[in-house]
Amino acid sequence: MTQTCDTAKSAQRQALLSAYMEGAVLGPGGFCCSSANQCRISAMAQKQPVDFAAGQLSHVGKFYDIEEDAIPLRILVIGMETGRTDSEVSLQMRRRQVLESAALMPKDRNPHMIGVTHALRTLHGYEIGHDPRGELLNLVGSSHPVHIFDAYAMANVRLCTSVKAGTTQSRPTRVMTANCVRHLEETIRILQPTVCVVQSMRIPKALAPIVVRRKQVAPHLAEVEIGGVETLMAEFSHPTAYAELNWGRWTNMPYLGGIVVPALREARVCLGLPSLVS
C-alpha cells in the first residue's frame, strides 16, 4: 500500500472554505450568518432556557487530500453540532481542538473522538485498537508520520449550538437545522469527500433537502450526491448513543463490530480498495 497526500490541494480547499465561511458565517467582524437572528430567536423561544453558541466552524486536516494506491480517500465526518458552548470558533481554532485530542492517549479521549478514531482506523484499512502507532500514516514524501486526525475533515449540520442552560444537553430547533444545512452543502462542494461518516441517526433526514440522488449499496451505506459531489455516505448512530447503539468506547462493542466496521470496510471496497491493509 502506498499513501500520499496533496498538501497543496488540501491547503487550497481550506482557503476556499475559509473564504466562504468568512462571508457567510464567521468573518473578521465576527458572526455574520444571515440566519443569525432567526436561529437565535427560535432557540431562545423554547420553554427551557438555553445557552446559544454561534459560529463553530469545521476541522480540515493539513493532510486531508489522501490517496491510497492513487485512489482518493478524502474522509468527512458529519455530526449534528459541536455541543460546546464556545462561540466564534474559526477553522484554525477547530483544527487545534482536534489535534489536542490527537495528542491524548487513545483511551483518554472523549467517547465521541474515540468513535472517530475507530472510524478513521477502519477507513484507512487498519484494525481498530488503542495502540497509538495504529493512528499514524506513513505518507510518501512526508518527513514524519501523520496522525489520522490531521488527515480528515469534520463538519456539522449546525454551525451553532443550543443546549439546555448550564448543561451539555442539546436543545436545537428545526429552524436552526433548516437554515444551516446550506453551509454543509457548500462545505461538501469544496471538500469533495469520497466517503462521509454520519454520526447521528437524525442526520439523513436533516440532509434530505440537499441530497440530489441516493442509492443504497449496503446496510448503512449509500451513494449520494450533494453539492454536485458524488460520495459514499456511511450512516450510524452517534458514538455516545445509549445502550446497544453506543460505539465510542471499547473495541469489543457490538454496534462497532457488527455495524460500523463492516460498513466502513465495505466503503473501502466500493472505492476500489481492499477492506483491510495487510
Side-chain angles (χ1 to χ4, degrees), residues 103-158:
L104 299 174
M105 291 298 291
K107 288 186 177 181
D108 293 335
R109 296 176 189 136
N110 65 47
H112 173 221
M113 295 309 292
I114 290 176
V116 170
T117 305
H118 292 327
L120 294 180
R121 286 180 68 129
T122 305
L123 282 172
H124 283 290
Y126 302 146
E127 297 279 3
I128 56 174
H130 293 302
D131 56 306
R133 286 181 178 272
E135 300 179 356
L136 301 178
L137 305 177
N138 294 308
L139 303 178
V140 173
S142 177
S143 60
H144 57 83
V146 171
H147 196 277
I148 55 176
F149 279 16
D150 209 10
Y152 86 112
M154 182 160 60
N156 290 303
V157 173
R158 295 185 290 266

Side-chain angles (χ1 to χ4, degrees), residues 77-83 94 110-116 154 156 197-204 235-249 253 255-256 260:
V77 174
I78 302 175
M80 285 302 266
E81 61 193 8
T82 70
R94 187 63 176 137
N110 65 47
H112 173 221
M113 295 309 292
I114 290 176
V116 170
M154 182 160 60
N156 290 303
V197 180
V198 166
Q199 294 184 317
S200 172
M201 291 182 171
R202 294 172 295 170
I203 291 178
E235 300 169 342
F236 309 121
S237 62
H238 194 275
T240 63
Y242 291 109
E244 70 275 4
L245 297 178
N246 188 288
W247 54 284
R249 290 191 183 274
M253 303 187 82
Y255 191 90
L256 175 64
V260 176

Side-chain angles (χ1 to χ4, degrees), residues 8 10 25 51 63 85 102 107 153 155-156 185 200 212 217 247 252-253:
S10 296
V25 181
D51 293 326
F63 301 88
T85 55
K107 288 186 177 181
N156 290 303
E185 181 178 24
S200 172
V212 175
V217 295
W247 54 284
N252 63 348
M253 303 187 82

Side-chain angles (χ1 to χ4, degrees), residues 177-219:
T177 301
N179 285 340
C180 212
V181 74
R182 71 184 189 275
H183 300 314
L184 180 59
E185 181 178 24
E186 184 64 14
T187 298
I188 291 173
R189 188 190 68 78
I190 292 170
L191 296 182
Q192 297 181 306
T194 56
V195 58
C196 298
V197 180
V198 166
Q199 294 184 317
S200 172
M201 291 182 171
R202 294 172 295 170
I203 291 178
K205 181 178 179 180
L207 298 187
I210 61 173
V211 173
V212 175
R213 181 184 63 83
R214 176 188 173 91
K215 176 184 177 183
Q216 201 73 27
V217 295

Side-chain angles (χ1 to χ4, degrees), residues 35-97:
S35 302
N37 288 337
Q38 188 180 30
C39 290
R40 191 185 299 272
I41 289 170
S42 74
M44 297 303 177
Q46 298 180 89
K47 293 181 179 180
Q48 294 180 319
V50 301
D51 293 326
F52 187 86
Q56 301 166 318
L57 302 190
S58 306
H59 160 65
V60 182
K62 180 180 178 181
F63 301 88
Y64 171 71
D65 271 82
I66 294 287
E67 287 192 357
E68 183 178 321
D69 294 334
I71 295 175
L73 184 60
R74 295 187 293 270
I75 303 169
L76 174 64
V77 174
I78 302 175
M80 285 302 266
E81 61 193 8
T82 70
R84 299 165 63 111
T85 55
D86 46 345
S87 295
E88 300 191 4
V89 179
S90 67
L91 293 172
Q92 293 76 17
M93 292 169 63
R94 187 63 176 137
R95 178 170 177 261
R96 285 198 297 269
Q97 290 175 349

